[in-house]
Amino acid sequence: MLPADFSRLGEECAALEKAGVDRIHWDVMDGVFVPNLTIGPDVVRSCRRWVDVPFEAHLMVMDADLLAPLYVEAGCERVLVHQEACRHLHRTLGAIRDLGASPGVVLNPATPAVAIADVLDLVDQVLVMTVNPGFGGQAYLASMETKVAEIAGMIRSTGRPIRLEVDGGIAPGTVGAAVAAGADTLVAGSALFRDPEGLEHAVADLRDHATSARA
Ligand code: ZN
């Protein structure tokens, strides 16, 4: 939602759902963990009634233990927290599960895959940042594909259906390589909202590129 028109977020959510997205991804920033401030839980709650697609909260915040319950209560089915921000990551992920939401863990570009090896049994999703978090519209870091492939291997060895998501710079020109590396869940912002042919075209185009990279 980062490139959406924040003065009409409900309508923007409805337009995305109509365009065929599988989820809506809320980039929550606290101005401390990342140098930007966005999207409080009341904003998410006010958009929840506009659509039926699942909401996921990507918490780029220092105090996930404080904030995660507020986003679950606001209507987020999935909550993603950063490995780098959680002092007791194992406990935080378990607490999100206990709230009835689906927990996921996020890695910044500088964080190695091994940093999440001991929490894979607790998560339904791993998100590999393909830009440094904080702002939309940044260039995709192709160097992250090695890490995506490594985590895909770690996930296979668990035997659990853990989704592997990438976030940052995902566009028609980059999505194929991310999927080929092992990503199966794709966050897109600018590529959707900046497509001159509109949201429906953008979603279909990304899906086509992803599907042919997997085939
Ligand atoms: Zn995000």
Side-chain angles (χ1 to χ4, degrees):
M1 293 307 293
L2 216 46
D5 179 347
F6 279 20
S7 70
R8 41 186 292 275
L9 276 175
E11 290 160 60
E12 295 278 64
C13 285
L16 283 167
E17 183 176 61
K18 184 164 175 284
V21 301
D22 301 302
R23 305 179 194 166
I24 286 178
H25 178 97
W26 296 101
D27 281 316
V28 176
M29 307 184 187
D30 68 353
V32 181
F33 181 64
V34 290
N36 198 355
L37 190 59
T38 61
I39 310 281
D42 289 341
V43 175
V44 173
R45 182 184 295 104
S46 69
C47 292
R48 184 64 280 189
R49 67 187 169 82
W50 284 77
V51 288
D52 295 320
V53 286
F55 279 3
E56 73 182 13
H58 172 190
L59 300 183
M60 287 166 266
V61 304
M62 288 306 296
D63 198 341
D65 293 315
L66 175 75
L67 295 176
L70 305 182
Y71 286 86
V72 174
E73 201 265 327
C76 293
E77 288 87 348
R78 294 173 177 267
V79 177
L80 309 172
V81 297
H82 271 261
Q83 186 277 340
E84 305 84 7
C86 295
R87 185 167 300 183
H88 301 292
L89 179 62
H90 190 280
R91 179 188 296 156
T92 300
L93 292 167
I96 292 168
R97 178 84 68 196
D98 290 344
L99 290 165
S102 175
V105 65
V106 190
L107 298 88
N108 275 339
T111 305
V114 68
I116 58 155
D118 291 343
V119 296
L120 276 183
D121 59 323
L122 296 179
V123 300
D124 296 330
Q125 189 161 319
V126 176
L127 170 52
V128 175
M129 290 304 298
T130 44
V131 299
N132 283 288
F135 299 95
Q138 300 183 72
Y140 173 80
L141 298 170
S143 55
M144 293 299 112
E145 287 158 12
T146 313
K147 180 159 62 182
V148 170
E150 187 180 350
I151 294 174
M154 290 162 63
I155 288 174
R156 270 194 301 279
S157 62
T158 69
R160 293 186 53 238
I162 300 169
R163 305 294 297 243
L164 179 49
E165 185 171 33
V166 284
D167 184 1
I170 298 299
T174 57
V175 69
V179 169
D184 57 27
T185 305
L186 309 158
V187 179
S190 305
L192 302 188
F193 287 96
R194 308 274 183 263
D195 187 328
E197 293 179 68
L199 285 176
E200 284 178 45
H201 173 268
V203 171
D205 195 30
L206 272 183
R207 214 185 282 285
D208 285 349
H209 280 87
T211 306
S212 48
R214 226 162 69 174

